Amino acid sequence: MADHGEVFTPAWMVEAMLDLVKEESERIDSRVLEPACGAGNFLIPVLVRKLATVQYRYGRNEFEKRHHALFALMCTYGIELLPDNAQDCRDKLAFVFNGFLGVDTSDEWARSARTVLAANIVQGDALTMNDPAGLPIAFPEWGYLGKGKFQRRDFRYDSLTQRASFEGTLFGELDHEDLFTPVKTYPLMTVGQIAEQVNL
Ligand SMILES: C[S@@+](CC[C@H](N)C(=O)[O-])C[C@H]1O[C@@H](n2cnc3c(N)ncnc32)[C@H](O)[C@@H]1O
């Protein structure tokens, strides 16, 4: 415990801290990164807040509700040094997401959430910005384009941190597109296609 600073923030304090950025924490498309996310003590309440907004905006339209719930998850990111904590974080976020949609773990929405979480909750060192193999951490920038289509482009974390210093946010809108080239660009995907990638 002492080796890795595994001291976890109590729920009341997390809520009080998130209230300081209340609007951002409730916005579906605000991209939130916790660089030492542990088992998700911050990320879980962030997802809960985003999903409350999804329910409020899209609760009466099941298609839009499901797609925007997945997009809310897509905007939730973490880095965690220890593999068991990282997996715990993914599992807890998946539990919240599946519960919100009322699906079990074999459902395509749950499988697509696992694909997203495998990419968004990265095991690695937030200080060196490398994964356990010593390779640079990369994060997907997901977009929901409407009509059931998602876009994904992966960027190196070290270049995103430079980008944040330009724009003030992790994936800010830019004129400097040439400076920040994705390491991978995917074709547009449906939820079914994202679910198919679950074991890749
Ligand atoms: C103090 S806990 C906090 C967890 C969570 N943020 C919370 O407040 O409950 C710190 C977590 O960061 C992880 N950690 C420590 N050094 C790290 C590093 N360089 N990069 C990523 N994670 C790290 C630890 O494994 C631990 O799970």
Side-chain angles (χ1 to χ4, degrees), residues 4-9 34-38 41-42 79-82 85 124-127:
H4 299 104
E6 285 188 90
V7 179
F8 299 102
T9 312
E34 230 268 69
C37 66
N41 282 10
F42 278 89
I79 304 173
E80 169 53 46
L81 195 61
L82 301 178
N85 285 357
D125 187 326
L127 298 176

Side-chain angles (χ1 to χ4, degrees), residues 117-188:
L117 288 166
N120 280 31
I121 308 299
V122 171
Q123 189 206 339
D125 187 326
L127 298 176
T128 62
M129 303 193 200
N130 288 333
D131 71 12
L135 297 171
I137 291 172
F139 280 116
E141 179 194 54
W142 300 94
Y144 180 49
L145 305 184
K147 300 187 176 166
K149 297 283 186 189
F150 293 96
Q151 131 186 315
R152 174 178 175 176
R153 296 185 308 163
D154 290 359
F155 290 89
R156 278 175 59 150
Y157 178 50
D158 52 6
S159 75
L160 288 173
T161 57
Q162 288 172 24
R163 183 162 151 173
S165 69
F166 277 101
E167 300 298 322
T169 70
L170 189 62
F171 293 98
E173 293 302 318
L174 293 170
D175 294 321
H176 323 282
E177 206 59 50
D178 49 332
L179 279 177
F180 305 106
T181 310
V183 289
K184 186 164 179 185
T185 300
Y186 293 73
L188 295 188

